[in-house]
Amino acid sequence: MTLAKVPPRRGVPPSPPRPAPRRLAALPWLLVAGVVAQVCVRLWFARARTGPVADPDETGYLLVARWLAGGHGADYSGHTFYQGGYPLLLVPANWLSDDLMTVYTLAMATNALIGAALFPLGYLALRRLGLARRPALPLAWAAALLPETTFFGAFTLTDAVLPTLVLAWLLALDRFVRDGRTGSAVLASAAASYLASVHMRGTMLLAVHGAVLGLLLLAVVVVRWRRVAAAVGADRTAAITRRARGTAAGLAVAAAGYAAGAALNARVKAEMYPDGAKDHLGIMTSRLASVPGQEWALSGSAGQVWYMIVATWGLAGIGLAAVLATPLRRRAPAADRVMAAVLLVATAGVAYSSSAALPDEHRVGNYAYGRYLSCIVLVYALVGAVALLRSRTRRAARLTAAGALLLSGSAAWVTAYAGDRLETFGFIAFDFPEPVFLSGDRTALHMPEVTLAGAGLLCCALLLTRARVPRVAALLLAGGLVGINLAAMTFAMGPKQDRVRPASPLAGPQAGGVVVDQSVYWVLRVKFQYPVDWTRIERPYGQRNRPPAPGVCTVVLPLPSGTAPEASWPAHPPAWRFRAGRAYSTGWVTWWDPACPAARR
């Protein structure tokens, strides 16, 4: 991965050589210590997280994990299909405990461990990009704490693990493109096929991976085989043969991994979505077939690029500019061009397809959103950092100007397309952790102000990397990243971080059958699913006019405005009790049978 590899700056004396054995002996311990520190920081920010809040996503993944661990399933029909790859990682948490709060805490620990792996992987990426060991260590540790790779680790979302998986895939694929070894191809294919089982974005990345391997196999076997075998010696022929075998093995592993993931997801869909899931593929197809749909998808893609640059404090803008320039460089090695193309196609594919498949929810996040590209932003940030550190001032200034142009251009595109909808549509602060930090306002998106702040931070990065000694420049950049990352995460997680056991929204015994009428507000129906861990919730229509079925101990009904709680269920048995609740500007009533078994403890 030498996308931004450039000659070191002139006039800088080389660092005096140090004993290699000592460096090599200390490196593993530094990496281990860095991983432990990463885990601790991530757990600290997630310390108050004891239950799902980002619904329906979090609850969906938790319910799939519970079912995969041997528990009961749920009816999630009509919602987005939450694939089984990420819940597989949460199965051990369900095996280790039956307490919901403990299971969720173990899920946070799982996220922290996987997220912490970004430090050694980032270090390896920086070394591939041409950075020396000593500056690579602190810079990789600081970059791994970018909010885009840390914030979602405090929730049971695929975005907690996707950045690690994507970086591992790119590193393995880069190694195979350069050396053609079978092990690298197998590792890259295993990562890509697992990505496809985790999220739809992973399917796009697997398609890119398969296309690269297919083209390599075509080039080696069809185009060059006879000519190379006749023109060069046995060593070169053996290398070509090794690459062909590695490509074939990689394709086989990718196909097998995709088949296994598809089988897993088919079982999850049959259990959790008996009446079907939300048709995102249908939404995307209809969008691509119309001019307004294309405008929506392209503008949403521009909004994701804008967010990616803002979320990395400008570094991704520099990295994107460097990657875009790589295929145009005449002296760039073929492997660099291949990996630059892979990165660009993967980025464009994820941004475009996710934007096209996103329904119009009348929220600001439809036009500028960072979560879908969060899996790849760290790569661009690392490339941007190395491009600044290894470039002379003139080239670094050009890259900075190009990054600022990408930032302002994407902001202008989104503003022109969305117009006043950025102010009148619903704003969810959860969608914008970095912009709300830069603007200081959790209630609205201030795109011009945030864009100016991002451009200012981009210029600050340029200044920090102008120190005469490269090692000092890297330390300054790493220190700046650590400071702003921790400040942004502290702001995003909120001032109150008390660890509280979440209260169940349901009253009555934690036993027997549970019925939630289909007319109850959908967010509440989702909220009831995870706390009910002893049975599968039934969702009939018209329960208000019917008595409970045998074995049912709890019934939840809507509470229309102006209706007394006791009048919410005319058909209720005389001995049943009730308790009213209210959330999301809507009410509900929980009815339960006091003759049912006592609540579990």
Side-chain angles (χ1 to χ4, degrees):
M1 247 170 74
T2 55
L3 302 177
K5 199 167 185 178
V6 295
R9 285 179 277 173
R10 292 178 180 175
V12 178
S15 300
R18 295 181 179 273
R22 180 176 298 178
R23 284 205 307 266
L24 292 175
L27 180 61
W29 294 106
L30 292 173
L31 291 174
V32 170
V35 168
V36 172
Q38 285 273 335
V39 171
C40 292
V41 172
R42 292 166 186 272
L43 289 177
W44 173 256
F45 283 121
R47 66 189 183 280
R49 306 284 297 110
T50 57
V53 294
D55 287 317
D57 302 36
E58 278 199 278
T59 294
Y61 289 119
L62 288 167
L63 292 175
V64 174
R66 184 158 67 196
W67 175 68
L68 291 175
H72 65 83
D75 188 347
Y76 236 53
S77 299
H79 293 292
T80 297
F81 175 48
Y82 299 107
Q83 299 179 199
Y86 173 60
L88 273 178
L89 302 174
L90 307 183
V91 167
N94 287 271
W95 286 341
L96 291 172
S97 177
D98 293 327
D99 179 71
L100 297 181
M101 180 174 168
T102 303
V103 169
Y104 195 87
T105 301
L106 292 173
M108 295 297 99
T110 302
N111 289 349
L113 287 169
I114 297 174
L118 284 172
F119 166 52
L121 290 174
Y123 169 78
L124 181 58
L126 289 174
R127 295 288 292 135
R128 297 265 188 96
L129 291 166
L131 209 60
R133 283 192 181 95
R134 291 201 170 187
L137 280 168
L139 187 56
W141 197 89
L145 285 182
L146 284 168
E148 281 290 270
T149 61
T150 308
F151 177 75
F152 297 112
F155 305 88
T156 51
L157 299 171
T158 57
D159 310 271
V161 300
L162 283 176
T164 303
L165 296 172
V166 169
L167 184 52
W169 164 62
L170 287 172
L171 287 170
L173 182 61
D174 172 76
R175 179 57 66 196
F176 173 70
V177 168
R178 297 180 190 283
D179 64 17
R181 296 186 182 277
T182 301
S184 302
V186 169
L187 185 60
S189 295
S193 58
Y194 180 67
L195 278 166
S197 73
V198 171
H199 197 272
M200 288 181 61
R201 285 168 281 175
T203 304
M204 173 60 66
L205 298 178
L206 178 61
V208 174
H209 176 78
V212 172
L213 292 187
L215 290 174
L216 288 175
L217 186 62
L218 181 65
V220 170
V221 176
V222 178
V223 179
R224 297 183 179 179
W225 175 259
R226 293 181 180 177
R227 179 166 57 86
V228 170
V232 301
D235 292 342
R236 180 60 175 164
T237 302
I240 297 296
T241 303
R242 183 176 68 247
R243 185 176 292 274
R245 290 175 178 173
T247 306
L251 287 171
V253 170
Y258 176 76
L264 168 66
N265 287 326
R267 292 191 59 191
V268 172
K269 184 173 287 189
E271 172 66 23
M272 302 287 294
Y273 300 84
D275 297 326
K278 184 179 291 185
D279 187 12
H280 286 282
L281 183 60
I283 296 173
M284 181 173 67
T285 303
S286 64
R287 286 253 172 77
L288 302 184
S290 67
V291 173
Q294 291 284 355
E295 293 174 348
W296 168 282
L298 291 172
S299 178
S301 301
Q304 293 187 49
V305 171
W306 173 82
Y307 198 109
M308 178 177 72
I309 299 173
V310 168
T312 56
W313 324 122
L315 285 178
I318 298 171
L320 181 57
V323 174
L324 286 169
T326 299
L328 304 177
R329 287 167 45 206
R330 294 182 179 180
R331 297 181 180 180
D336 287 8
R337 297 187 181 191
V338 169
M339 290 308 300
V342 168
L343 192 54
L344 291 172
V345 171
T347 304
V350 169
Y352 182 77
S353 60
S354 59
S355 179
L358 190 66
D360 188 354
E361 300 167 310
H362 296 277
R363 65 175 186 172
V364 178
N366 285 142
Y367 304 98
Y369 197 43
R371 196 170 146 196
Y372 296 129
L373 284 183
S374 64
C375 61
I376 209 165
V377 295
L378 178 61
V379 180
Y380 283 106
L382 295 174
V383 172
V386 173
L388 285 179
L389 289 169
R390 291 182 57 84
S391 297
R392 292 187 288 272
T393 300
R394 181 175 297 179
R395 183 174 188 272
R398 287 200 301 264
L399 288 172
T400 303
L405 181 62
L406 290 169
L407 174 63
S408 58
S410 56
W413 188 337
V414 173
T415 303
Y417 178 79
D420 61 358
R421 287 174 289 188
L422 294 177
E423 300 175 359
T424 59
F425 277 14
F427 179 82
I428 304 174
F430 176 83
D431 295 343
F432 300 92
E434 298 91 352
V436 298
F437 165 70
L438 292 176
S439 66
D441 186 359
R442 302 178 189 272
T443 64
L445 174 63
H446 305 279
M447 181 164 279
E449 293 86 344
V450 173
T451 302
L452 286 174
L457 289 170
L458 198 152
C459 294
C460 289
L462 173 64
L463 294 176
L464 289 175
T465 56
R466 293 307 91 198
R468 182 174 177 81
V469 181
R471 188 181 303 171
V472 174
L475 287 175
L476 289 174
L477 182 59
L481 279 176
V482 169
I484 195 169
N485 289 342
L486 295 180
M489 280 298 299
T490 301
F491 185 88
M493 299 308 296
K496 189 174 182 180
Q497 288 286 295
D498 297 331
R499 187 170 177 81
V500 179
R501 178 175 290 274
S504 174
L506 295 177
Q510 296 182 18
V514 178
V515 170
V516 178
D517 192 88
Q518 190 72 1
S519 58
V520 174
Y521 183 43
W522 73 268
V523 175
L524 295 175
R525 294 201 309 269
V526 169
K527 288 290 186 184
F528 298 149
Q529 295 272 14
Y530 185 59
V532 179
D533 61 344
W534 63 91
T535 187
R536 184 187 180 108
I537 293 180
E538 301 297 328
R539 304 190 309 173
Y541 284 99
Q543 181 61 51
R544 182 176 185 274
N545 301 314
R546 296 199 303 265
V552 172
C553 291
T554 305
V555 172
V556 182
L557 296 168
L559 182 61
S561 180
T563 302
E566 58 270 21
S568 63
W569 190 14
H572 74 271
W576 280 49
R577 300 176 184 175
F578 67 88
R579 189 180 74 181
R582 192 166 187 83
Y584 305 102
S585 301
T586 187
W588 78 92
V589 180
T590 303
W591 291 83
W592 74 91
D593 184 1
C596 281
R600 296 183 305 166
R601 298 187 182 277

